[in-house]
Amino acid sequence: MFGAPIAAEDTAERAVACALGMQLAMDEVNATLRAQGLPALEMGIGVHTGEVVVGNIGSRKRAKYGVVGSHVNLTSRIETYTVGGQVLISETTAGELGDRLRTRQSFQVQPKGAREALTIYDVVGITGTYELTLPEVQAVRRTLDPGVAVHFTVLAGKDASGEAHPAVLVGLDDRGEAELRGTPVPALLANIKLKLDGFTDESVYAKVLDVSPEQDSFRVRLAAVPPALSDALARLPWVPR
């Protein structure tokens, strides 16, 4: 939260700078985790600008300094569209920064509870006071020919009990971005549950990053992959690309 208890003119800029700074700090965090024998972490960050109620909220027995309001909820919704390493901001925040903002792309979403579609921006840097830029990650991509059968279920909220659809896994890079082919093609930014047929009973959750309905293909970013599934993926006959 920026702009309270002390108001300032550049709260949106400082919020975005903070988000970028947090992402840039993750290399050091993960170096420490690796030294301790722990798995690496990723995070996605959502930023939005709006008027909220702020102060000591609660009762005499238990109170906390916090914020409430529809814009708090909307910020949380924006965050749910992120994958690890991303900073997504609302068009309101983007308007505050103007030409100081550097983005990779923008897209429209319809967050739960919102009355109309919202444009959100995938931020890679800002210029001006803070001059922060996220590094361009070069990932090694591998392919499978003809591919491996999988099934995916589109999540409805946190419910994964919907119909399982067949697809084929044809590509994967070392960031966990996978390319699949099949129908139906899920919606952009949908959350899915993915299972590799015939190898393991483990499943993995993923977010849809790109869709090509005319080619019956889509690209997803895998979340934390269970060890058994990671081993099964590593045993596949990958070809570097």
Side-chain angles (χ1 to χ4, degrees):
M1 182 180 64
F2 293 79
I6 300 173
E9 295 291 332
D10 62 344
T11 54
E13 184 179 15
R14 289 191 292 122
V16 175
C18 178
L20 292 169
M22 290 167 66
Q23 293 291 16
L24 290 168
M26 288 306 295
D27 284 345
E28 184 177 347
V29 170
N30 284 322
T32 300
L33 292 175
R34 283 192 296 272
Q36 298 174 357
L38 299 172
L41 295 176
E42 287 187 319
M43 65 180 172
I45 303 174
V47 183
H48 174 54
T49 303
E51 189 173 293
V52 297
V53 176
V54 57
N56 292 316
I57 301 169
S59 66
R60 291 183 178 180
K61 291 185 177 181
R62 184 181 184 277
K64 70 171 185 176
Y65 185 82
V67 292
V68 295
S70 61
H71 291 292
V72 177
N73 299 333
L74 186 53
T75 307
S76 177
R77 302 292 184 214
I78 293 171
E79 184 274 333
T80 64
Y81 293 114
T82 65
V83 296
Q86 269 188 326
V87 175
L88 296 183
I89 71 172
S90 69
E91 55 190 318
T92 309
T93 302
E96 294 280 340
L97 272 73
D99 59 7
R100 289 166 291 171
L101 192 65
R102 296 179 57 235
T103 63
R104 181 180 291 111
Q105 63 178 332
S106 65
F107 40 85
Q108 283 199 324
V109 296
Q110 184 73 53
K112 181 180 179 181
R115 295 181 179 178
E116 56 187 29
L118 176 73
T119 301
I120 55 179
Y121 297 81
D122 185 357
V123 178
V124 296
I126 55 173
T127 59
T129 303
Y130 297 98
E131 291 287 348
L132 294 169
T133 301
L134 298 180
E136 189 67 33
V137 179
Q138 300 296 327
V140 177
R141 186 168 182 269
R142 300 160 291 167
T143 60
L144 288 169
D145 188 13
V148 172
V150 300
H151 275 80
F152 70 93
T153 304
V154 178
L155 274 63
K158 296 183 179 179
D159 181 25
S161 62
E163 181 182 357
H165 304 286
V168 177
L169 173 66
V170 295
L172 181 69
D173 69 21
D174 50 9
R175 293 176 301 181
E177 291 190 7
E179 181 182 352
L180 299 106
R181 293 177 184 162
T183 55
V185 173
L188 181 66
L189 299 180
N191 294 308
I192 66 172
K193 184 178 181 181
L194 188 67
K195 182 178 179 182
L196 196 65
D197 295 353
F199 287 86
T200 173
D201 290 332
E202 295 276 11
S203 299
V204 64
Y205 293 95
K207 184 177 291 292
V208 179
L209 300 181
D210 191 24
V211 296
S212 298
E214 65 282 357
Q215 298 178 1
D216 293 335
S217 70
F218 55 101
R219 186 167 54 87
V220 304
R221 174 70 176 271
L222 305 180
V225 181
L229 181 56
S230 180
D231 291 342
L233 288 170
R235 292 196 300 270
L236 295 176
W238 297 107
V239 176
R241 179 177 176 181

